[in-house]
Amino acid sequence: MEEGKVQGYTPRRRHDEQFRRRAVDLTLQGTRSVRQVAEELGMSASKLYDWRRKYAPRPGADTG
């Protein structure tokens, strides 16, 4: 094992807002579940649900 690395540890990745919004958009298309999209992006479904709460349009919200 390389020095400074812990077995089974994946370094934390930081995603910009554009990536987060695109990931949320993928979940809103309705063709895949949130869990499937998260798996494809290599992230946890719980984090993607967090992003949906933050970035997804609210039902009935005035968009314009």
Side-chain angles (χ1 to χ4, degrees):
M1 181 166 46
E2 291 181 41
E3 186 176 333
K5 291 198 175 189
V6 177
Q7 186 176 3
Y9 171 75
T10 302
R12 186 178 203 164
R13 293 186 293 177
R14 301 210 24 108
H15 299 97
D16 62 15
E17 184 175 341
Q18 182 180 5
F19 178 90
R20 294 174 186 194
R21 288 184 182 277
R22 180 67 183 128
V24 169
D25 288 344
L26 290 172
T27 69
L28 297 176
Q29 291 176 356
T31 56
R32 294 172 293 204
S33 70
V34 172
R35 186 168 302 282
Q36 288 172 315
V37 172
E39 189 173 296
E40 290 170 14
L41 296 175
M43 60 184 298
S44 72
S46 63
K47 179 54 67 179
L48 192 45
Y49 278 114
D50 289 344
W51 293 353
R52 275 175 54 121
R53 279 191 289 278
K54 184 172 182 178
Y55 297 111
R58 306 285 193 277
D62 185 8
T63 57

